[in-house]
Amino acid sequence: MGLDFTAIDFETANGFRGSPCAVGLTKVRGGVVVEEASWLMRPPENHDRFDHHNVRIHGIRPEQVAGLPRFGELFPEIGAFIGEDILAAHNAAFDLGVIRSALEVSGLAGPAYDYVCTVMLSRRCYSLVSNSLPYAAEEAGVPLVNHHDAAEDARACAGILIDIAARNGAGSIAELHLSLGLAVSRQPAFDPLLDPLSKASQSALEALAGGAGAVAPVRAYQPGWPEEGANPLPNAFADPGHPLFGQTVVFTGELAIPRPEAKIRSAEFGARPESRVTARTTVLVVGDGFVAADLRSGRLTGKARRVLELHERGRRIEVLSEGEFLQMVGGHIPSAAIA
């Protein structure tokens, strides 16, 4: 078996994972891109509100998808393109979560998928201060001109996996993961008549039933140092394949969610939250509207500058934006906080 897989990338209309409005797919055979597909779509019914934050990121507006098939109508075509392939995604917890939640709120069954995460592989095989898609794509020699275009992002993800396999002399995904001591993850099949809803879908449906929508309330700005709160112990039963599992996470800057809540969320996925950058720190989550491009512009907090200094000395510490962090843990930045 050669290096065969399908890379996938979703864009969503709002903070709920089950609101896909675009998908890009890139099929690879023997380490070579052989086919691509992409669709715009209407998100599932009742979950098709477009938030300002999401539109600002990907540029897709509700009028562009008005009248198009919904995710549930397109899923047979999407599933047929994937076939029996292993899926690859950059932050796969998000993209596989999109499939699961969108199926759940559409009342549709879905197959099991084996998948790999190029964020995890980038951490193992590159030495980058940010493993966001543009940085990893640049390291892999893959041009990424229009980040957050689903087709381009899927193509970049495929290029990253092809490059990492080549650097490790691996001829297949199984061989690559064996050489790195990693296991291919699996999302189980879903039957709406038998299986419970995911936490993300439960929360979204409860919000709709309560008339509150899916947007969390925005806390009032409070000057001064953010409240750190306690540092909960990591969940020992979390998925080892999650990108936060086993990481030591520190938060800096003004977050759109309370910092104690951010610590709880990280611990649920197996991370160890701490309050300051130390020799143990492996991930720094930066608020204040930070994006990965700010690493080059210099718009950084003191903690982030400290991380850059340590990285230059050979310490492997990764910088995440709050948006990337919340994508990993299933949350989102309330649109009113960044409008």
Side-chain angles (χ1 to χ4, degrees), residues 6-315:
T6 293
I8 189 166
D9 180 82
F10 281 102
E11 301 297 330
T12 58
N14 55 67
F16 171 46
R17 288 181 176 181
S19 66
C21 59
V23 64
L25 295 152
T26 298
K27 187 173 290 290
V28 172
R29 289 290 178 268
V32 177
V33 173
V34 296
E35 189 176 359
E36 295 181 320
S38 62
W39 288 271
L40 290 177
M41 67 192 76
R42 279 190 296 164
E45 190 173 2
N46 298 322
H47 302 279
D48 49 7
R49 182 194 70 256
F50 278 72
D51 285 353
H52 166 81
H53 173 61
N54 296 64
V55 172
R56 190 178 70 177
I57 289 174
H58 53 56
I60 302 168
R61 299 184 176 278
E63 57 267 25
Q64 292 176 254
V65 303
L68 293 181
R70 293 193 186 274
F71 168 83
E73 299 170 84
L74 280 175
F75 185 70
E77 290 183 68
I78 297 169
F81 187 95
I82 297 169
E84 301 294 321
D85 278 5
I86 293 175
L87 285 174
H90 204 73
N91 187 14
F94 170 76
D95 295 282
L96 272 293
V98 171
I99 294 175
R100 177 63 182 260
S101 285
L103 287 171
E104 289 174 339
V105 297
S106 301
L108 298 174
Y113 288 111
D114 291 328
Y115 66 91
V116 298
C117 179
T118 50
V119 169
M120 298 281 286
L121 293 171
S122 175
R123 283 178 177 168
R124 288 293 186 102
C125 300
Y126 300 152
S127 181
L128 304 174
V129 71
S130 168
N131 288 293
S132 66
L133 188 61
Y135 277 77
E138 181 180 13
E139 178 69 17
V142 182
L144 181 57
V145 177
N146 189 17
H147 184 28
H148 293 298
D149 175 272
E152 287 203 31
D153 285 1
R155 190 181 308 126
C157 173
I160 292 165
L161 182 48
I162 291 168
D163 178 67
I164 287 174
R167 293 190 187 203
N168 286 273
S172 69
I173 287 178
E175 186 178 339
L176 173 64
H177 279 64
L178 182 63
S179 69
L180 296 174
L182 297 172
V184 174
S185 299
R186 185 173 179 82
Q187 177 162 283
F190 171 71
D191 185 333
L193 299 178
L194 299 175
D195 297 316
L197 297 176
S198 64
K199 183 178 179 181
S201 295
Q202 284 179 335
S203 298
L205 292 172
E206 288 168 2
L208 285 174
V215 179
V218 181
R219 65 192 179 99
Y221 174 73
Q222 296 177 336
W225 292 105
E227 178 192 353
E228 281 287 342
N231 291 316
L233 292 175
N235 174 13
F237 301 101
D239 177 11
H242 191 276
L244 290 177
F245 186 87
Q247 303 297 316
T248 299
V249 181
V250 174
F251 298 88
T252 183
E254 189 71 23
L255 305 181
I257 62 172
R259 196 171 290 184
E261 180 185 343
K263 290 185 173 185
I264 291 170
R265 291 194 191 188
S266 66
E268 286 176 353
F269 288 92
R272 181 179 298 279
E274 294 190 342
S275 300
R276 61 189 181 89
V277 175
T278 69
R280 295 183 297 273
T281 306
T282 57
V283 172
L284 180 72
V285 178
V286 185
D288 297 325
F290 165 87
V291 293
D294 291 334
L295 291 167
R296 292 190 171 112
S297 70
R299 191 178 72 85
L300 301 171
T301 66
K303 284 182 181 176
R305 289 193 183 91
R306 171 68 173 155
V307 163
L308 285 179
E309 292 171 3
L310 292 172
H311 198 270
E312 289 174 357
R313 297 175 191 171
R315 286 277 306 282

